[in-house]
Amino acid sequence: MVHLPDHGAETQQAHDRIALGNGTVKDRYINQLHKSNTWISPGVYNLSGTPSVSLTNETVDGTADDDVAWDAIAFQPMPGKPKNIVASLGDSFSSGEGSGSVGGPGIGYSWESDTDHGAPRWNGCRRSVNAWPRELTPPNTTTPLGTASDAWSTDAELSFVACSGAQTWNVQGTRNPSFWTNRGAYGWSEGQFHELSQIDSGALDENTTLVTLTIGGNDEGAFVGAVMECAGGGDCATDATFMPRYKALADKLGTSLGSLITSIKARATHATIVVMGCPELMSRSRACLAAGLFNANEQKALGDLSKYVNGKQAAAVQGVQGVTYADPIPMFSGHGTCDDDEWINAIVTGPNGNGDFHNKDFPDAVGNKPSFCLWDVAGGACLSRESFHPETAGTTGYAKVMEQKLRDIGYGAI
């Protein structure tokens, strides 16, 4: 356990080196921007001899402007290996985007992942206390992972590194290393910001028992592109090029997902890996005409596209030992945007939280907003990242899908 002070801890890549006492050293990278006096877990390890923890003040993302700090470490003895050592990887559907502003703007997203918009250290990963990996109760326990991990349970460890906007390469770390030296004047990357790639963070090792993953919707702008195209002035359902173009992107996803799974298996050598798909975002029975953006056929087209993407993801992991696929579409039937019992946000105006898109962030020389402030709505606000993402009922639904899948495959069985 590493204790962070409420000031002076600013790097998003604090490099902890955990010497296990047997000659093995583990590397773990921690985002320190919690802005409070708090204990952070750099992981659970099988220690022997004389273990130690050290921290370097040199980081890959550093420009000698941010401070690296800690003020205490502690070792918590355990009776044995925890039942669940879980790594939650992926994009906004894992980070809990859409469920974090319950009770008011920004409430529910952790500080270090929802901070400093418009500044060089901006982080919009937006990891929510209500995210489904935290709500997940594995079949070998009765306590949700988030609750157990927060309470320092000796039966659970949750490494929660999913990030809103993440693409496959943000998880896998396959972008050219020059990314860190050619990342632009503001020093951040959408979907990763200053954080190290997810599998390089140290969240995965031979002790990991379960890896959960949602990924692919942001690759090549597919998710946002399809929704915005259908919401535009034309009719995507009658556009003969719409479905073939986005299906072609989904075909690429199958290949990139296979490569990512190989990388995850190389780190988490004994883990069960579950890839979770995407629900149909919108109702198939009620048109969202009140929003003036989508007709019934466009909503069905987006639903058909979700099914196609899920099929490609399922095919990519079929037959791979230790890897399985979970499809949330049946659980979310009747709960899409505009359904009576809506589990997915429709259009949400922002900003909701300090990591959300803000009007006039990073304007160009003539005052135009950047492309990531997606579009203007009434009053000049931005479209929030929360739009078309599961709200709290949706994250609960996601957790139920994963729980059933884990029961089906016998995860954690004695």
Side-chain angles (χ1 to χ4, degrees), residues 241-319:
T241 69
F242 174 78
M243 197 63 75
R245 281 187 286 112
Y246 285 99
K247 282 185 175 180
L249 295 181
D251 294 344
K252 292 182 181 181
L253 171 60
T255 301
S256 59
L257 178 59
S259 174
L260 174 57
I261 291 298
T262 299
S263 297
I264 292 173
K265 286 173 66 67
R267 306 291 182 99
T269 50
H270 300 106
T272 296
I273 302 171
V274 184
V275 179
M276 179 80 84
C278 177
E280 293 187 16
L281 299 179
M282 308 185 77
S283 172
R284 279 186 177 264
S285 60
R286 298 185 61 183
C288 294
L289 295 177
L293 295 175
F294 305 94
N295 62 46
N297 287 330
E298 288 179 317
Q299 292 171 209
K300 291 176 181 177
L302 288 171
D304 290 343
L305 186 60
S306 292
K307 285 187 173 181
Y308 185 84
V309 170
N310 285 8
K312 287 296 179 180
Q313 290 183 321
V317 303
Q318 186 175 9

Side-chain angles (χ1 to χ4, degrees), residues 4 42 111 132 170 192 218 261 285 337 344 350 365 381 403:
L4 303 179
W111 267 107
W132 68 262
N170 296 123
Q192 185 169 346
N218 298 311
I261 291 298
S285 60
T337 294
I344 299 176
E403 288 166 6

Side-chain angles (χ1 to χ4, degrees), residues 343-398:
W343 290 3
I344 299 176
N345 292 313
I347 290 177
V348 180
T349 57
N352 293 318
N354 206 21
D356 206 354
F357 299 125
H358 284 61
N359 200 20
K360 300 298 184 184
D361 279 341
F362 302 141
D364 63 19
V366 294
N368 294 320
K369 294 180 298 303
S371 59
F372 51 77
C373 193
L374 302 183
W375 67 61
D376 279 337
V377 294
C382 290
L383 187 69
S384 172
R385 292 175 178 272
E386 296 187 333
S387 301
F388 300 107
H389 282 84
E391 52 194 54
T392 52
T395 58
T396 299
Y398 252 111

Side-chain angles (χ1 to χ4, degrees), residues 312-329:
K312 287 296 179 180
Q313 290 183 321
V317 303
Q318 186 175 9
V320 181
Q321 185 176 6
V323 186
T324 191
Y325 185 79
D327 186 357
I329 287 180

Side-chain angles (χ1 to χ4, degrees), residues 33-34 100 106-115 123 125-129 160 195:
L33 273 173
H34 289 259
I107 296 174
Y109 296 119
S110 60
W111 267 107
E112 91 290 348
S113 69
D114 187 43
T115 189
N123 191 308
C125 282
R126 312 253 292 171
R127 290 182 281 269
S128 170
V129 68
F160 188 19
E195 297 184 353

